[in-house]
Amino acid sequence: MENGPTHSPRNLFGRAVDWTNTVSTAGIMALLGLIFAALYAAFIFTGPLIGYMAPSVTILLWGGAIMMVATMAFSGIRGVYATIQDEAVVILAAVASAIVSDMGGIVDDSTYGTILGAIAFSTLFTGFVFYLLGVWRLGRVIRYVPFSVTAGFMITIGWLLIVGGFEVAEGQAIHLILLDSVQEGTIAWKASIALLFAAVLHVLAEKLGDVLALPLIFVLGISAFLLVCEFTGASTAELAQKGWLLPMDGKASELNAFWSGIGNIDWDIVLSHWRSYVSVAVISALALLLAVTGLELSTRARVDVDRELRAAGIANLSSGLVGSVAGYADAPVTTMLHQGNGTSRKAVLLGALMVAAAALVDTTWLDYVPLPFLGGVFLWLGWQLWDEWLFKHGDYLQSKDWIAVGAIVFVTVTAGFIAGVLLGVGVGIALFLLDYSQVRAIRYVVNGREIRSNVDRPPAMEQFLYEQGRRIHIIKLQGYLFFARSHQVLVQLEPYFEQMRSGEHHFVLVDFKGVAGIDSTATMGFVRLRQMALEAGGELVFSGLSLE
């Protein structure tokens, strides 16, 4: 008798549990995607641009769904969850504000289209950079970026998220919020509620984890807000007029506002902000490395950084075509889903379908999302970065590292991200040279009596070599030699040359066998070494050099 497929109650129950976990995990992913789309649209399209938030949410929903599927398809991490990331959002918010100024302060469909063009160009460029880094297998190069440089950028992003959170809550610039509070002697109630919302979210996140806390507080917070509105008799139109809710201004959601408005894009203005796009790519690459490293530790599996760069590159190239913001794998969410019900490709695909379905639905639900709640989430996100990089990781930083962090934060906030990136590169090189210059370039210095050849000689010759061995000096070098380390060699050898000034002829043998490389400035140092040897009555001999 042939054994057919079994349909025992135990197997059916196991399948039911598996599908229940898949659906619940997909639902959490979809809900997070919905929240992130509303959050980041509110951050970029704030102030005079807030009327364009509805079509922008739709764009970010499409982009989020595409990013989830593309990352899942090409990543080596099982059930990875990818989404839009706040590093790009913070920089693009500044670009959006600058474009409004470039357009003479006029906010119309042409201005909105140009901002969408800038966002799309930024994401496509970031995807291109990610993909090339992965193809050329340069992921390991990113690992050499000093910890203090990465910390400086993350602390800066945290600061900008906090400032932006207050601005989203109050609907105006931070300096105007402070000015109104001082002049009128009143409390900024929306900002205060945003702070309270952030504090409650922080407590819930500590108890339940970020993945559960964020959807839960939104559901409970909006429900409580609507109950208060019902009790007081306040209408959504009245609350929107007073800045508590989003003023939609009749801007309806479209299937994709980027492609429908592509003819309105002023490409000259878009390209003029190329420095910001470089900043997005560089900082996102650093953040992606941190995310991959976190996933490697949490999943206890070896992760191919270059493969994840290629996956993120394809995902951004795909989502950029619909005008969405750059993103990559979200380590905290993926880790928590793995530790909870578990996640799989089925769950990611189902979650992406739910997000795409939400993009097809009318965005009138945004009418009921209080702006202080959105601002409160940004305050919480900013605090999360500060808590991680200022306090938890602060013990790893030395005094010189804190100076570098402070300089990067100050320059980035005052002069922009591209200036911060350039300073970060310079600081990284300087810190590397400073640390490496502390490593001894001279492995050892011995004379001819302390080290002998392995050639057998007659006793008389051995005695002669021993007597003359004090005039033979052997210097063993190591590592890579640049200007600072070559100077270190000169300083350490100077006492030996002083001892040679006895009228006798000395031989100085410099062994380069353990040297990895020499730059041009170090070469000049060895010219000076030869002069010192001649002045001391010695003869300089180089050993272990190659023609390359």
Side-chain angles (χ1 to χ4, degrees), residues 106-402:
I106 300 173
V107 177
D108 55 14
D109 290 346
S110 179
T111 304
Y112 178 60
T114 303
I115 293 172
L116 292 182
I119 293 172
F121 190 91
S122 168
T123 305
L124 292 170
F125 178 74
T126 300
F128 182 69
V129 170
F130 281 178
Y131 189 76
L132 286 185
L133 288 173
V135 169
W136 293 340
R137 306 195 69 80
L138 294 176
R140 63 184 182 277
V141 175
I142 308 174
R143 294 185 185 271
Y144 293 110
V145 176
F147 187 82
S148 57
V149 174
T150 304
F153 288 134
M154 295 305 162
I155 292 169
T156 303
I157 291 170
W159 163 257
L160 294 175
L161 283 171
I162 290 172
V163 171
F166 284 120
E167 292 179 346
V168 168
E170 288 286 343
Q172 57 182 343
I174 188 71
H175 66 279
L176 295 177
I177 299 172
L178 296 174
L179 186 63
D180 289 347
S181 297
V182 172
Q183 288 182 342
E184 299 178 10
T186 58
I187 298 174
W189 285 108
K190 301 186 189 74
S192 301
I193 291 176
L195 271 174
L196 178 62
F197 190 87
V200 174
L201 177 54
H202 178 72
V203 172
L204 283 178
E206 290 290 320
K207 299 292 184 183
L208 303 176
D210 299 355
V211 175
L212 295 178
L214 193 56
L216 178 63
I217 195 171
F218 257 95
V219 172
L220 295 178
I222 293 175
S223 300
F225 185 81
L226 292 177
L227 285 175
V228 172
C229 292
E230 184 70 22
F231 180 77
T232 59
S235 66
T236 56
E238 181 183 355
L239 291 171
Q241 187 178 8
K242 293 181 178 180
W244 288 91
L245 295 174
L246 292 166
M248 307 312 293
D249 293 340
K251 301 293 182 185
S253 173
E254 303 177 53
L255 187 60
N256 190 270
F258 171 65
W259 282 105
S260 62
I262 199 168
N264 296 323
I265 299 175
D266 187 329
W267 289 106
D268 290 335
I269 291 179
V270 169
L271 295 177
S272 69
H273 293 279
W274 63 270
R275 297 174 185 83
S276 297
Y277 312 143
V278 173
S279 300
V280 170
V282 171
I283 295 175
S284 295
L286 292 175
L288 173 59
L289 172 66
L290 295 173
V292 170
T293 303
L295 287 171
E296 197 170 31
L297 294 173
S298 63
T299 60
R300 298 180 180 178
R302 184 174 180 82
V303 177
D304 185 347
V305 177
D306 296 308
R307 178 175 179 177
E308 299 311 314
L309 279 167
R310 293 193 297 272
I314 294 171
N316 281 282
L317 288 170
S318 303
S319 62
L321 293 176
V322 298
S324 186
V325 179
Y328 49 84
D330 191 305
V333 175
T334 302
T335 299
M336 194 157 292
L337 291 175
H338 272 278
Q339 293 172 347
N341 295 332
T343 183
S344 63
R345 293 181 181 272
K346 289 186 298 184
V348 176
L349 182 59
L350 183 58
L353 290 174
M354 291 179 181
V355 173
L360 296 172
V361 177
D362 190 14
T363 54
T364 52
W365 55 273
L366 289 170
D367 292 348
Y368 303 99
V369 179
L371 285 172
F373 289 6
L374 296 177
V377 177
F378 288 117
L379 296 180
W380 173 70
L381 289 172
W383 170 253
Q384 291 283 89
L385 286 174
W386 277 14
D387 183 46
E388 180 177 0
W389 292 95
L390 270 176
F391 305 113
K392 292 180 181 177
H393 292 162
D395 294 339
Y396 302 114
L397 299 176
Q398 301 174 7
S399 299
K400 67 177 185 299
D401 297 320
W402 279 115

Side-chain angles (χ1 to χ4, degrees), residues 426-449:
V427 167
I429 295 173
L431 289 176
F432 169 77
L433 295 178
L434 180 62
D435 291 338
Y436 196 65
S437 65
Q438 306 303 313
V439 180
R440 288 179 58 88
I442 299 176
R443 186 173 180 183
Y444 58 75
V445 179
V446 296
N447 60 37
R449 291 181 176 180

